[in-house]
């Protein structure tokens, strides 16, 4: 029951990891740092071929501005994959530009969150994310 | 303030959801469509809902699945095929936790799927989280012209 964080900024990764720890979230957080790596992880290709070691996440937290493939491209790819299209994806980015928000919804994002500025606000956001997506939300079956 | 559209044919359930929103002091008005046809008419702005000022597009749709005339799955399929309306977050809220219903809802691009709790206090808690998540934290889409904010 892991969460896949797709984020290229090491400072943001460290903050989000801290917020997960502080919120006592039991789900392991896995991190990939660009769009290509996100696709490789989700497709189970290359170094991620072993699904026992790299299980499919129950939630993807997706930044938009990413090297190699943008978050929007990762989202479009994901929604076209038979075994992955149901996977809940919450965009988590610093942009709240209407073009970014609308494109993300058009491509099938489940939710869109703006990264808050202070750590306390991030901690609260992660707590709510956990409660909503990892506890309350009914998870899809990815294989049938 | 954009409304929350509750699509549910059971008047008791509607009343419980309304009470939960009131208890939580949620300021968004709750609008109700009691079958699938009415939900589509409201969202499309047709028939009795043609006046968009009186019937504004909702910030969130809470959709039951077992509905008369058009099922929740059919409503979802219709909404998510519309160019701009498809951006409106649709959260399934139903008593069914059956695998088939859950998976079909995600296949049709439901934003989230929640099982209605049995006890009222649990419903209030669920609606409270839903409100914080979808009405406060979540960045809403633009519902103007296509591609527009």
């Amino acid at each position: 029951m892991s969460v896949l964080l797709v984020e290229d900024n090491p400072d943001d990764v460290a903050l989000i990891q801290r917020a997960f720890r502080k919120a006592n979230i039991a789900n392991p957080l896995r991190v990939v740092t660009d769009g290509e790596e996100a696709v490789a992880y989700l497709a189970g290709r290359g170094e991620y071929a072993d699904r026992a070691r790299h299980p499919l996440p129950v939630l993807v937290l997706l930044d938009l501005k990413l090297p190699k493939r943008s978050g929007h491209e990762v989202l479009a790819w994901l929604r076209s994959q038979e075994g992955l299209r149901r996977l809940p994806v919450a965009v988590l980015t610093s942009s709240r530009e209407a073009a970014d928000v609308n494109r993300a919804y058009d491509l099938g994002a489940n939710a869109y969150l703006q990264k808050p500025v202070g750590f306390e606000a991030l901690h609260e956001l992660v707590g709510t994310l956990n409660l909503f997506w990892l506890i309350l939300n009914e998870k899809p079956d990815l294989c049938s | 303030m954009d409304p929350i559209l509750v699509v549910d044919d059971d008047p008791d359930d509607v009343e419980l959801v309304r009470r939960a929103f009131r208890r939580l002091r949620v300021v968004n008005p709750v609008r109700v469509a009691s079958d699938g046809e009415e939900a589509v008419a409201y969202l499309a702005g047709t028939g009795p809902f043609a006046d968009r000022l009186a019937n504004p597009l909702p910030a969130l749709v809470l959709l039951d699945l077992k509905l008369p005339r058009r099922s929740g799955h059919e409503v979802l399929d219709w909404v998510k095929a519309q160019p701009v309306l498809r951006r409106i977050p649709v959260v399934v809220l139903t008593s069914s936790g059956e695998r088939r219903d859950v998976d079909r809802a995600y296949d049709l691009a439901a934003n989230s799927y929640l099982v209605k709790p049995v006890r009222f206090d649990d419903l209030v808690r669920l609606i409270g989280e839903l409100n914080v998540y979808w009405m406060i934290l979540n960045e809403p889409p633009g519902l103007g012209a296509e591609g527009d904010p």
Side-chain angles (χ1 to χ4, degrees):
Chain A
M1 293 272 281
S2 60
V3 174
L4 181 67
L5 172 65
V6 189
E7 172 63 68
D8 64 317
N9 181 328
D11 295 338
D12 282 356
V13 169
L15 281 175
I16 293 166
Q17 282 173 328
R18 234 181 91 200
F20 264 68
R21 275 196 304 272
K22 200 173 170 201
N24 288 320
I25 297 172
N27 305 67
L29 186 64
R30 289 165 190 270
V31 181
V32 291
T33 56
D34 66 54
E36 277 299 346
E37 206 185 336
V39 168
Y41 187 103
L42 292 164
R45 284 203 295 254
E47 59 176 302
Y48 302 108
D50 182 355
R51 269 274 183 261
R53 285 182 54 220
H54 306 286
L56 280 176
V58 289
L59 176 70
V60 178
L61 295 179
L62 181 65
D63 191 14
L64 290 181
K65 308 279 186 294
L66 292 168
K68 295 182 177 173
R69 278 203 203 195
S70 73
H72 285 121
E73 285 172 288
V74 172
L75 193 53
W77 173 83
L78 188 69
R79 290 299 182 236
S80 69
Q81 301 302 302
E82 199 50 50
L84 297 170
R85 53 195 301 253
R86 296 173 185 156
L87 192 59
V89 175
V91 171
L92 180 62
T93 178
S94 48
S95 161
R96 58 178 305 190
E97 276 173 52
D100 286 336
V101 178
N102 291 341
R103 182 137 182 259
Y105 282 110
D106 283 342
L107 293 172
N110 294 73
Y112 191 109
L113 302 165
Q114 200 196 7
K115 273 180 211 161
V117 177
F119 179 74
E120 262 324 296
L122 181 68
H123 175 222
E124 259 168 60
L125 180 96
V126 164
T128 306
L129 254 172
N130 173 52
L131 200 52
F132 194 83
W133 288 107
L134 302 176
I135 300 175
L136 295 173
N137 190 61
E138 204 67 33
K139 280 113 201 127
D141 193 338
L142 297 178
C143 340
S144 66
Chain B
M1 187 65 71
D2 294 331
I4 294 162
L5 180 64
V6 175
V7 188
D8 199 318
D9 63 319
D10 182 333
D12 294 338
D13 280 359
V14 169
E15 189 44 41
L16 285 176
V17 170
R18 275 188 189 282
R19 263 178 60 200
F21 276 110
R22 273 201 303 274
R23 163 113 33 124
L24 292 157
R25 299 181 203 289
V26 175
V27 286
N28 303 68
V30 172
R31 303 292 306 254
V32 176
S34 55
D35 64 52
E37 278 298 345
E38 203 181 337
V40 167
Y42 187 100
L43 292 166
T46 54
F49 305 109
D51 180 355
R52 268 277 181 252
L53 283 177
N55 307 288
L57 282 174
L60 180 70
V61 178
L62 291 184
L63 182 66
D64 192 12
L65 289 181
K66 309 277 186 296
L67 293 168
R69 295 165 90 200
R70 278 202 202 197
S71 73
H73 284 122
E74 284 173 289
V75 172
L76 196 52
D77 194 21
W78 178 84
V79 177
K80 295 298 184 185
Q82 307 303 307
V84 176
L85 295 180
R86 66 189 300 258
R87 296 174 187 158
I88 298 177
V90 177
V91 175
V92 171
L93 180 63
T94 178
S95 47
S96 161
E98 273 175 55
R99 192 74 269 154
R100 250 180 356 159
D101 286 336
V102 177
D103 289 343
R104 180 136 183 259
Y106 282 107
D107 281 342
L108 296 171
N111 293 73
S112 165
Y113 190 111
L114 301 171
V115 175
K116 269 182 210 165
V118 178
R119 294 177 52 239
F120 180 66
D121 286 350
D122 293 334
L123 180 70
V124 172
R125 218 164 297 143
L126 182 82
I127 300 271
E129 287 307 325
L130 191 127
N131 181 55
V132 171
Y133 191 84
W134 289 102
M135 306 304 289
I136 300 173
L137 291 175
N138 193 61
E139 202 65 40
L143 299 175
E146 211 171 332
D148 261 21

